[in-house]
Amino acid sequence: MPDTDHTPAAAGSAGAAPDAPAAPGGRRLVSGPGLLLVWLYGVITVGAVSRSVYQISTEFDRAPLPYTLTGAAALVYCFITYSLVRGGERARRAARLCCAAELAGVLVVGTWTLLRPEAFPDATVWSQFGMGYLFIPVILPITGMLWLRVRR
Amino acid sequence: MLDALTVAIGAAALALAAWCGFAALRNQPTKDWHFIGMGVVTLLVLAQLVVGIVMLARGQRPDEGSVIFLAYLVGAFAAVPAAGLLSLSERTKWGSVTVAAGAVVLAVLEVRLYDIWGTPGA
């Protein structure tokens, strides 16, 4: 609340508006490279959510820690995808924060799986820094934060 | 039958990815021809979905379980159409890049499907 409040005022007040036919309600985060980003986040959300739903509902007792971590990752991905689609300044900040949390999660869990493999009878989406997912889990938050750095 | 379809779809998906990637390199959005290509790939995946369900109904079981198999079939079916719809909202080269990424995702899903089904033959 106390920080500067960038509510979307009348059109054009924030200087040059790059894309004229923006969605009503302000800045679109899903345009240009943002579309690719939201697509990849959408894919990884579907992947993580379906994986964690399956694992937690069928074989949770086998590896509680990895499955819980995957579930947490799925929630973060859901929220980022939703924020990107919703757009606007607050969503941008929230999504950026979550990208940072995601990156921290990938790094911590990735290191953890390398140091203490015995704690992980089964893989999570973030095991070995997301190697099973072509390292997308570690690349996405970085590109995400770069994309969300600028106010749109 | 299923394995042949899986390989064919993987190859078609990579071709689609290359084609749309080429369009993106030339700074072009997706055009009618690209959508026809996406349609062909989607038809193939639809055929795979039907064949997969029929095989499950006949009592054949994939190596890694029916639920995972079905989930991947449905995901594979959704990948390219979803990317195509997104590219309609972004009439720049980034729409083409997104479809190319969608096709790569489909190719990866086909590799996984191949593993999930496992047993050769059928």
Side-chain angles (χ1 to χ4, degrees), chain B residues 13-77:
Chain B
L14 289 180
L16 181 68
W19 191 18
C20 292
F22 181 62
L25 277 184
R26 295 200 302 170
N27 235 340
Q28 289 176 343
T30 45
K31 300 195 172 146
D32 287 357
W33 282 107
H34 297 115
F35 282 98
I36 292 174
M38 289 178 230
V40 170
V41 172
T42 304
L43 273 180
L44 284 174
V45 186
L46 183 62
Q48 187 188 36
L49 179 65
V50 172
V51 169
I53 291 176
V54 168
M55 287 170 79
L56 285 181
R58 276 190 189 157
Q60 290 174 275
R61 285 289 166 261
D63 276 4
E64 295 182 29
S66 307
V67 177
I68 292 180
F69 179 66
L70 255 184
Y72 269 87
L73 277 180
V74 172
F77 175 65

Side-chain angles (χ1 to χ4, degrees), chain A residues 17-44:
Chain A
D19 42 325
R27 309 166 174 94
R28 283 186 38 168
L29 295 174
V30 185
S31 62
L35 183 73
L36 178 64
L37 194 69
V38 85
W39 164 249
L40 290 175
Y41 265 113
V43 169
I44 202 113

